[in-house]
Amino acid sequence: MSTTTITQVWTDKVLSKPHTLKSTQIRVEEQEIPVLDTSDIPLPPPSKEPSEVLSIDKGTPDSHVPRDPRLIRLTGVHPFNVEAPLTALYREGFLTSPELFYVRNHGPVPHVRDEEIPSWEISIEGLVEKPITLTFKQILQNFDQITAPITLVCAGNRRKEQNTVRKSKGFSWGPAGLSTALFTGPMMADIIKSAKPLRRARYVCMEGADKLPNGYYGTSVKLNWVMDPNRGIMLAHKMNGEDLRPDHGRPLRAVVPGQIGGRSVKWLKKLIVTEAPSDNWYHIYDNRVLPTMVTPDMSSQEPSWWRDERYAIYDLNVNSAAAFPQHKEVLDLASAGPFYTAKGYAYAGGGRRVTRVEISLDRGKSWRLANIEYAEDKYRDFEGSLYGGRVDMSWREACFCWSFWSLDIPTSDLENSDALLVRAMDEALSPQPRDMYWSVLGMMNNPWFRVTIAKENGKLLFEHPTDPTGPGGWMERVKKAGGDLTNGNWGERQEGEEIIEPEPVQDINMKKEGVNRVIDLEEFKKNSTDESPWFVVNGEVYDGTAFLEGHPGGAQSIISAAGTDASEEFLAIHSETAKKMMPDYHIGTLNKTSLEALLKGDIADDTSPTTPRDTFLTPKSWKKATLIKKTTVSWDTRIFTLGLEHADQTLGLPTGQHLMIKIPDPTAGGAIIRSYTPISETNQRGTVDILIKIYFDSPTLPGGKMTTALDKLPLNSVIECKGPTGRFEYLGNGQVLVGGKERTVQSFVMICGGTGITPVFQVLRAVMQDEQDPTTCVLLDGNRQEEDILCRIELNAFEDMDKVGKCKIVHTLTKGPENWTGRRGRIDEELIEEYAGSPNDQTMVLVCGPEAMEKASKKILLSLGWTESNLHYF
Ligand code: MTE
């Protein structure tokens, strides 16, 4: 055996082309190693790195990334989410060239210049004895390098099938959302060990450099998995012997074999060792299989579904697909041979081997066993180095790659069948199911892969379930023909099967049974007072008197609807639960002419005053303001300044109350209505400033309807406002009005998160600006990162001007930077107990924030002995 250097092995034996180190590459100290015979292992297919930026990418944030035009773009031009045509992917063989490797980018690709790579840093922080920052150069030079073949699979692989059954919240992947490469780099365990994790450490959170609408992309895996050599979790800087390409995480990424691709964080910047799973937005709202009965609406309205770690996906499930017959392949029976070789791929998760692949031609009544080729096993016999990394797989049994199945089928059997079904089973004896498990994100779709066979003029026509390039596939065809894709027979009606008409979408009944009183306009007007507010929804008359006290938005919310047709506003902002309460207040039906008159605006209101009004808001009618300025506070937060009717006008909003804002819905038509609390001073004239956080769309989840629409609204647009609303009002000097009842308090405990600061801020400012006001305030403000803290300058100023100790502000961050000296973590029992003091009747707790935060704090407060009457939720 002769000896040579690592670089020469690559040059001479593997690629047989001259190897030059790029300026960015760090030369691993050359060692003497034996020349190895690589003829027994599958090597990467010929690859040609694209050098041209495609014109389609030129106007996008990815204008620095050259790409292969063969890739199928699944989410339009940008972000780049692509799969190769399945046949091209399969033909590449066991390993995929980087230019055809599927890509899943949530946002823009970070632009990392060659010269920046040696000093690219990743930090290892959190629950470690020795936090460290390593440069790319150190990662290469100070740690053992390994090379291993690994298949990455996006959890959304085959999602188009789910979307055809029922639209999920994810975009449509065909069956090529997976690819395999030889990855080279250090084991993540070695990197973590160098920082010495503490005893209570349980998870490794990862964060990439791609800044997205909801923060940096990040997720976590368990620390014990990282430390387990059998799980093979690594960092990679090379793919098939080349530097990682920009789309795949250049210069450094995590690779988590056997798990969904979403855990393999690209452009890796941070490893944070923690006690709990990642609280990164993408860890929580992505890569989950929620129970099948959770609808997209439920998942948006009840965020707790997303926080249940049981629904997070880690290991891949068993799956397979046929590459041949191809979608739309035509087999001419006249020239076909006696056998047709069906071929495809299969994979399983968690290192489990695919132990069988079966084919059925008779709807699953009988199955034939396919042959399976495990190319990955060839590497187990290979000893030595490849691309600068040791191939160390002889001892490891885990299977982290796809396998290829094939079966020779008599052509006559195909001719006599209507569909070819493929299913795989793994080492845990989990077979692919026949039926789809639909879930809100459409992930982990793995029912039997079905290729239909049709006979036409002596030819067999094959069709896959879907076509990622556009319309097509048997599922769409069956659906269009009225088939129920969930009927257990792939939507095809069986002989004798009863036709079940789809259930009509049920309207919620808001009328009381037996009520048939007809009311005319005169009676309606006479009875519609602030004390007994009657209002109309969908032509029906309701008396809201009995709900004045109970309405969560305060009596004013109902009073402002008195004597009006409130349909639009009511239907836009009320939940199904609220609608179900309506029969209790239903008193009759407005007659047709009265309703027409009401809708035309025959009821006198104050919409066109003769003299200019001092205050802008009126509770019963919408007033038009103009968007005159948008100030960007941070990447997702803006101050919208609205011009009122004249320069001297004040808004007319009592401290602690809210106003409703109405704008046209740009997508669905109609209007969007939401409540906000401005941050401008109550006596500001001519304008009002409203601080709003924009919930941007993500590739998998739609953003906030109101906030994204507001963000897109051009200057000078009309924004309609109405109000005030709210049960709470601060009158000053410790006097509060709650649900119309006045009381005195000595102190406030204010608990808020994110933009929930706005109503709380109004009250705090009122207290702080009035030197005579003796009320004391403690504000507990929870945010993710330092830059998420809103109104920080003003809050600091309150503390600075406080000479008598009446104000204490505590910020806590869940993702504080290293140099953050304040509190860390969520607003929890410890924090509340420390600052809220013991429950007493002289203190009111004001809470405003995301639903989950409000719920959690309520539970804590009640358990600490606070009574509901001392808590107010804005
Ligand atoms: N890492 C970062 N930083 N940003 C991302 O958008 N996408 C994830 C994962 N890592 C993503 C990321 C998802 S969902 C998948 S499936 C894989 O990257 C895809 O890796 P690939 O694009 O190299 O195929």
Side-chain angles (χ1 to χ4, degrees):
M1 212 183 262
S2 67
T3 60
T4 185
T5 61
I6 295 167
T7 350
Q8 278 161 353
V9 170
W10 186 17
T11 313
D12 302 338
K13 287 281 181 187
V14 182
L15 287 180
S16 58
K17 66 178 182 189
H19 174 62
T20 47
L21 281 176
K22 279 194 189 170
S23 59
T24 59
Q25 281 183 309
I26 310 300
R27 188 180 283 270
V28 178
E29 212 153 278
E30 295 192 349
Q31 323 155 0
E32 294 285 300
I33 54 149
V35 172
L36 300 161
D37 184 2
T38 54
S39 58
D40 284 343
I41 52 172
L43 290 173
S47 153
K48 192 161 174 290
E49 182 166 2
S51 55
E52 296 274 302
V53 172
L54 300 173
S55 55
I56 188 173
D57 286 317
K58 282 196 179 138
T60 75
D62 291 350
S63 58
H64 56 102
V65 191
R67 288 169 171 152
D68 192 306
R70 285 174 296 171
L71 293 167
I72 304 165
R73 295 192 187 225
L74 307 168
T75 53
V77 178
H78 186 82
F80 194 59
N81 292 300
V82 293
E83 65 182 87
L86 180 61
T87 315
L89 178 75
Y90 184 84
R91 286 203 170 122
E92 290 251 298
F94 174 62
L95 297 169
T96 316
S97 58
E99 59 268 24
L100 273 195
F101 202 102
Y102 85 93
V103 180
R104 170 73 181 100
N105 291 340
H106 284 75
V109 174
H111 193 173
V112 186
R113 293 185 175 78
D114 286 358
E115 58 279 15
E116 294 165 2
I117 292 180
S119 55
W120 175 270
E121 284 182 342
I122 75 158
S123 60
I124 298 91
E125 51 191 80
L127 297 179
V128 290
E129 216 175 294
K130 208 175 89 182
I132 43 168
T133 299
L134 295 169
T135 62
F136 182 77
K137 202 165 158 183
Q138 289 168 322
I139 297 267
L140 263 67
Q141 291 181 336
N142 301 354
F143 296 88
D144 273 353
Q145 305 289 308
I146 62 123
T147 295
I150 292 161
T151 299
L152 289 184
V153 186
C154 185
N157 190 30
R158 296 183 60 192
R159 187 194 278 127
K160 191 158 187 185
E161 296 165 44
Q162 295 246 332
N163 281 344
T164 312
V165 166
R166 180 179 180 183
K167 184 80 191 80
S168 75
K169 285 195 176 191
F171 63 85
S172 288
W173 284 101
L178 78 171
S179 308
T180 307
L182 286 159
F183 288 97
T184 303
M187 297 303 290
M188 191 188 280
D190 292 346
I191 307 278
I192 295 285
K193 269 186 224 153
S194 67
K196 303 199 172 156
L198 298 177
R199 241 181 106 80
R200 52 181 220 279
R202 292 288 176 276
Y203 294 85
V204 177
C205 302
M206 299 166 249
E207 202 174 275
D210 44 338
K211 186 144 197 196
L212 305 167
N214 293 296
Y216 291 101
Y217 184 86
T219 179
S220 59
V221 290
K222 289 188 183 173
L223 175 65
N224 77 66
W225 297 344
V226 172
M227 294 316 208
D228 179 355
N230 283 298
R231 293 201 177 242
I233 300 178
M234 63 186 292
L235 305 191
H237 50 85
K238 276 186 187 173
M239 205 169 159
N240 291 352
E242 290 178 30
D243 293 351
L244 280 183
R245 296 201 189 153
D247 274 324
H248 298 293
R250 173 185 157 91
L252 191 69
R253 75 176 300 168
V255 180
V256 182
Q259 299 198 10
I260 53 160
R263 307 287 169 229
S264 293
V265 175
K266 303 191 274 191
W267 313 293
L268 189 67
K269 286 304 284 177
K270 278 186 187 170
L271 294 175
I272 310 151
V273 180
T274 56
E275 235 168 340
S278 169
D279 64 359
N280 185 289
W281 193 93
Y282 298 90
H283 183 76
I284 292 162
Y285 295 104
D286 204 349
N287 294 318
R288 300 202 164 215
V289 174
L290 301 191
T292 193
M293 74 295 281
V294 177
T295 61
D297 265 2
M298 274 166 83
S299 73
S300 307
Q301 277 156 22
E302 299 164 34
S304 54
W305 287 113
W306 299 103
R307 301 244 162 215
D308 194 326
E309 228 348 73
R310 292 174 302 173
Y311 305 142
I313 319 164
Y314 293 97
D315 285 357
L316 288 159
N317 53 4
V318 61
N319 209 343
S320 65
F324 293 92
Q326 301 173 70
H327 176 49
K328 292 190 184 161
E329 186 175 325
V330 178
L331 182 70
D332 191 341
L333 292 170
S335 54
F339 288 95
Y340 177 93
T341 310
K343 297 186 260 194
Y345 71 74
Y347 61 81
R352 287 178 290 278
R353 181 177 289 269
V354 169
T355 49
R356 77 195 72 171
V357 174
E358 296 164 302
I359 309 294
S360 173
L361 294 170
D362 55 5
R363 300 176 165 245
K365 286 195 201 84
S366 66
W367 294 88
R368 311 167 187 211
L369 212 50
N371 303 310
I372 308 176
E373 188 197 328
Y374 302 99
E376 180 181 6
D377 285 348
K378 305 220 169 103
Y379 289 87
R380 299 187 204 278
D381 302 329
F382 181 88
E383 259 181 73
S385 274
L386 202 55
Y387 308 137
R390 198 159 37 90
V391 177
D392 185 23
M393 292 170 49
S394 55
W395 57 274
R396 193 174 70 192
E397 290 190 345
C399 292
F400 291 136
C401 294
W402 63 352
S403 50
F404 284 164
W405 61 265
S406 63
L407 182 68
D408 289 339
I409 302 173
T411 311
S412 53
D413 289 0
L414 285 179
E415 202 184 332
N416 293 321
S417 166
D418 65 347
L420 177 145
L421 298 163
V422 188
R423 72 172 183 201
M425 190 189 274
D426 71 7
E427 229 173 319
L429 300 187
S430 300
Q432 281 177 250
R434 184 187 64 168
D435 299 326
M436 174 182 292
Y437 187 92
W438 184 92
S439 73
V440 80
L441 288 181
M443 289 178 158
M444 306 296 269
N445 184 51
N446 73 335
W448 302 347
F449 193 86
R450 179 169 181 263
V451 181
T452 54
I453 308 171
K455 271 175 294 273
E456 231 173 69
N457 305 327
K459 293 185 174 116
L460 299 186
L461 314 178
F462 299 99
E463 236 185 333
H464 280 203
T466 65
D467 180 348
T469 61
W474 63 260
M475 291 184 81
E476 190 186 281
R477 181 167 43 75
V478 169
K479 191 167 185 180
K480 271 195 185 149
D484 168 13
L485 287 167
T486 59
N487 73 352
N489 288 301
W490 305 282
E492 283 168 18
R493 217 165 275 139
Q494 299 301 287
E495 225 170 279
E497 183 181 318
E498 221 180 288
I499 301 171
I500 300 166
E501 291 302 330
E503 269 190 41
V505 181
Q506 285 208 329
D507 276 342
I508 294 171
N509 174 30
M510 299 201 295
K511 293 197 264 180
K512 190 189 272 175
E513 217 174 301
V515 168
N516 42 26
R517 173 173 164 193
V518 177
I519 297 169
D520 67 17
L521 194 56
E522 202 192 328
E523 185 186 4
F524 176 67
K525 280 202 262 182
K526 207 170 68 208
N527 287 287
S528 299
T529 63
D530 286 2
E531 291 70 40
S532 81
W534 285 18
F535 59 93
V536 169
V537 175
N538 290 346
E540 301 300 320
V541 181
Y542 297 88
D543 178 356
T545 316
F547 199 47
L548 281 173
E549 277 227 8
H551 193 285
Q556 193 57 52
S557 314
I558 307 181
I559 294 170
S560 64
T564 71
D565 178 85
S567 309
E568 183 185 56
E569 189 177 312
F570 178 86
L571 298 170
I573 57 181
H574 287 86
S575 65
E576 290 189 2
T577 321
K579 289 175 190 158
K580 283 184 187 147
M581 291 164 70
M582 290 299 276
D584 290 349
Y585 308 98
H586 182 223
I587 52 167
T589 306
L590 202 62
N591 73 30
K592 198 160 168 267
T593 40
S594 298
L595 181 62
E596 279 165 9
L598 183 68
L599 292 176
K600 266 206 254 142
D602 277 6
I603 272 204
D605 70 4
D606 52 0
T607 46
S608 41
T610 43
T611 48
R613 296 172 315 119
D614 292 342
T615 52
F616 172 71
L617 289 175
T618 59
K620 289 189 194 168
S621 59
W622 290 100
K623 295 289 166 203
K624 292 185 171 64
T626 316
L627 176 60
I628 55 171
K629 197 159 124 201
K630 279 191 228 179
T631 315
T632 300
V633 179
S634 72
W635 68 277
D636 66 346
T637 311
R638 321 258 181 274
I639 294 175
F640 291 80
T641 302
L642 311 189
L644 306 180
E645 289 163 343
H646 59 87
D648 251 357
Q649 197 174 41
T650 57
L651 180 66
L653 188 73
T655 305
Q657 296 232 311
H658 328 289
L659 76 157
M660 284 189 280
I661 284 188
K662 176 162 86 166
I663 58 167
D665 183 341
T667 45
I672 321 173
I673 301 171
R674 299 281 185 278
S675 258
Y676 291 100
T677 315
I679 51 156
S680 40
E681 306 254 354
T682 34
N683 55 4
Q684 183 167 306
R685 287 181 190 276
T687 56
V688 56
D689 302 319
I690 307 171
L691 180 77
I692 295 175
K693 190 177 163 97
I694 315 295
Y695 295 95
F696 292 104
D697 287 341
S698 81
T700 48
L701 291 174
K705 208 165 144 185
M706 178 65 153
T707 60
T708 49
L710 260 179
D711 196 37
K712 287 184 194 135
L713 219 54
L715 291 183
N716 295 321
S717 302
V718 169
I719 294 185
E720 291 186 83
C721 306
K722 190 162 138 173
T725 65
R727 281 170 61 79
F728 175 93
E729 187 183 333
Y730 187 58
L731 304 171
N733 263 324
Q735 296 297 112
V736 295
L737 208 58
V738 185
K741 292 201 183 91
E742 209 173 308
R743 61 181 281 199
T744 310
V745 297
Q746 286 172 357
S747 55
F748 286 116
V749 173
M750 300 163 165
I751 298 177
C752 64
T755 42
I757 184 107
T758 52
V760 160
F761 178 78
Q762 287 278 9
V763 180
L764 179 65
R765 182 169 54 198
V767 171
M768 296 311 291
Q769 282 179 343
D770 181 358
E771 276 183 22
Q772 309 304 319
D773 188 334
T775 317
T776 59
C777 300
V778 171
L779 170 69
L780 306 180
D781 184 18
N783 287 288
R784 238 168 65 86
Q785 302 182 5
E786 212 173 347
E787 52 267 37
D788 296 331
I789 302 176
L790 300 172
C791 307
R792 195 168 179 191
I793 297 173
E794 293 84 347
L795 293 175
N796 287 346
F798 293 155
E799 270 194 320
D800 290 347
M801 70 196 231
D802 179 21
K803 303 281 178 280
V804 290
K806 66 178 188 178
C807 152
K808 171 90 197 143
I809 296 170
V810 183
H811 295 289
T812 180
L813 299 181
T814 50
K815 285 257 174 212
E818 251 170 62
N819 58 0
W820 173 252
T821 51
R823 301 286 290 226
R824 287 179 190 273
R826 297 179 203 287
I827 297 179
D828 57 9
E829 183 161 353
E830 195 188 322
L831 193 69
I832 296 182
E833 203 169 9
E834 188 176 335
Y835 288 98
S838 2
N840 65 80
D841 263 351
Q842 305 307 316
T843 304
M844 259 202 95
V845 186
L846 308 179
V847 188
C848 191
E851 194 186 335
M853 190 211 95
E854 291 195 351
K855 273 195 185 152
S857 59
K858 184 168 186 174
K859 207 165 147 200
I860 296 170
L861 287 159
L862 295 179
S863 77
L864 290 173
W866 291 89
T867 49
E868 294 256 15
S869 58
N870 288 326
L871 310 182
H872 177 73
Y873 289 79
F874 284 104

